[in-house]
Amino acid sequence: MKTKQTVQESKEYIGMWVTADGYIRHNLLPENRYDEARGKHESAYQGSYKVTGNHIDYKDDTGFTADGDFREGILYHAGMVLYKQK
């Protein structure tokens, strides 16, 4: 994730993404940072992300990496399904 991505490139994905039960919440921030909450644990994970096409790569601040794909307005990430909150 060495390439800095512009807000324009990822603007349709910026915002809060949540699982159907609301337990997992990914807040994709405009400056290519994310904040993930799990249950009552706010900011459980934080790090950077990069969107390429409909693919997202995450790197948390500890160095752990993960990825996912956006398909038809849904984020599929690590076996989870997240929906954009309006």
Side-chain angles (χ1 to χ4, degrees):
M1 279 193 234
K2 295 178 182 178
T3 306
K4 186 70 176 173
Q5 179 183 29
T6 66
V7 171
Q8 186 66 26
E9 291 172 306
S10 61
K11 72 178 183 176
E12 71 183 279
Y13 303 120
I14 292 171
M16 184 67 72
W17 293 82
V18 299
T19 54
D21 62 4
Y23 186 78
I24 306 290
R25 299 173 306 282
H26 287 193
N27 192 6
L28 300 182
L29 304 167
E31 63 274 8
N32 296 101
R33 296 280 300 165
Y34 74 92
D35 190 315
E36 178 180 326
R38 290 182 175 238
K40 293 181 181 181
H41 189 186
E42 297 296 326
S43 299
Y45 300 98
Q46 295 176 315
S48 60
Y49 71 89
K50 180 180 180 197
V51 175
T52 306
N54 67 343
H55 184 81
I56 186 168
D57 289 297
Y58 294 91
K59 183 175 184 182
D60 79 14
D61 291 340
T62 69
F64 180 78
T65 60
D67 65 352
D69 292 296
F70 297 96
R71 292 192 308 267
E72 298 179 10
I74 299 170
L75 170 55
Y76 297 89
H77 164 67
M80 294 179 279
V81 178
L82 296 99
Y83 303 90
K84 190 162 188 188
Q85 196 171 50
K86 298 191 188 230

